[in-house]
Amino acid sequence: MEMESAGPERKRKRPHSPVASNDSNDDGGEDSLRDNQELIRNEYSGFSWQRQSTDSSQNDGGSNNLHRKLDVVQPTIHPKKFFDRYIALRKPCVIRGYTDVSVRMEDLVAAAGNETVQVEKRFSSEECFGQNRTTARQILMTVREFVEKISAGQKDGEMLYLSTQQYEPTEHEGYSNPFQTPCRQLLATKKIPDSLPWAGNLCLESCNLWMGLSKDGSSSGLHHDYHDNFYILLQGRKQFRLYSPDTAP
């Protein structure tokens, strides 16, 4: 399960465009391109894997530690302290010991079994999930049908993945509910909370259930999110590969 929180807006400075030149020199194009490249700078100043790796190598005699350690945080941490140490710095961490969420397959079916969800479909087990949502790659089925397919352990179950639900609010609602099916039904049956204790005053942007079956593991592909994410692992295992923004060209 993933809960996204919309924190304070982060703005990134953009370089000014180079002034157009009337120089008719044939090398003008190359000079302009070179000037433009010099103006593009990565001004990110938050948490950096590179800086942490440099500090670590100096402390342990120069060895390059590829498996960097994350801070382990208790769920009882004060929201202000959590914001200052992690959210504001964009520093990832592991929150261990949170037990207020427990969702079993039967809970999911009981709460939202007859509800229709959008399910992503891949064409082979070698493909990543997270492709563009075309008609061929997205199918509609009930939550019960989806659970039955992935619970059977069959090959076609490995081709399916439940993720974010695209939803347009009605005029009556006037806003997009952060809890979409099946999270909305799980919330109503008190299987998941409407907030997290360490999140404090952060506004919840969305709550999504990510669910699939893969014997050999599958990937959602390299991507970035616009909001701060809290991932709560309900069952199975998940490996994250994280890059800090200063690694971008």
Side-chain angles (χ1 to χ4, degrees):
M1 188 178 75
E2 176 194 55
M3 300 184 81
E4 291 188 336
S5 295
E9 181 181 9
R10 298 189 180 95
K11 296 183 178 179
R12 180 172 154 187
K13 295 181 180 179
R14 296 179 178 268
H16 297 292
S17 299
V19 178
S21 172
N22 293 325
D23 192 350
S24 59
N25 191 323
D26 292 339
D27 295 333
E30 294 182 3
D31 292 340
S32 177
L33 177 61
R34 186 162 49 250
D35 292 342
N36 199 12
Q37 290 175 337
E38 291 176 355
L39 284 171
I40 298 176
R41 300 187 185 92
N42 188 322
E43 298 182 352
Y44 173 74
S45 60
F47 174 79
S48 165
W49 287 121
Q50 183 65 29
R51 284 195 294 272
Q52 185 191 58
S53 178
T54 301
D55 295 341
S56 176
S57 64
Q58 291 174 350
N59 294 332
D60 61 16
S63 63
N64 184 17
N65 181 17
L66 295 179
H67 300 283
R68 290 130 181 163
K69 293 183 178 179
L70 295 175
D71 290 352
V72 176
V73 180
Q74 295 300 314
T76 53
I77 185 173
H78 192 277
K80 178 65 165 56
K81 183 181 292 185
F82 183 81
F83 181 88
D84 292 341
R85 290 184 179 180
Y86 300 102
I87 298 295
L89 299 180
R90 305 187 75 175
K91 183 178 180 180
C93 68
V94 174
I95 300 173
R96 187 164 293 163
Y98 184 63
T99 59
D100 288 359
V101 176
S102 177
V103 180
R104 300 169 299 174
M105 288 288 196
E106 50 265 38
D107 297 328
L108 180 61
V109 173
N114 296 326
E115 301 291 337
T116 301
V117 287
Q118 304 154 0
V119 177
E120 182 180 351
K121 179 182 179 180
R122 60 180 178 177
F123 299 138
S124 72
S125 57
E126 285 73 33
E127 280 191 332
C128 293
F129 286 111
Q131 306 286 341
N132 291 332
R133 293 197 177 192
T134 61
T135 303
R137 289 187 178 274
Q138 180 172 279
I139 57 178
L140 297 178
M141 62 177 60
T142 66
V143 171
R144 178 177 283 102
E145 290 172 336
F146 172 75
V147 170
E148 288 175 352
K149 284 185 176 295
I150 66 171
S151 297
Q154 299 177 357
K155 192 66 177 179
D156 60 342
E158 292 193 47
M159 301 298 107
L160 304 177
Y161 194 61
L162 179 66
S163 60
T164 57
Q165 299 295 298
Q166 297 176 331
Y167 172 78
E168 293 295 333
T170 64
E171 293 183 3
H172 174 71
E173 290 176 321
Y175 71 99
S176 180
N177 191 323
F179 291 90
Q180 299 304 317
T181 301
C183 292
R184 181 184 298 182
Q185 290 76 16
L186 291 172
L187 177 66
T189 54
K190 302 185 184 304
K191 292 299 180 181
I192 61 174
D194 59 357
S195 62
L196 299 171
W198 59 85
N201 293 327
L202 293 176
C203 298
L204 179 64
E205 175 68 20
S206 65
C207 177
N208 301 289
L209 182 66
W210 302 73
M211 187 175 177
L213 168 70
S214 179
K215 295 180 181 179
D216 301 321
S218 62
S219 171
S220 57
L222 182 63
H223 67 282
H224 74 91
D225 294 322
Y226 290 98
H227 302 294
D228 301 298
N229 291 332
F230 298 111
Y231 280 87
I232 301 176
L233 189 63
L234 300 176
Q235 186 176 334
R237 57 197 295 263
K238 184 177 180 68
Q239 184 180 43
F240 294 87
R241 181 169 293 179
L242 304 175
Y243 297 89
S244 49
D246 61 312
T247 59

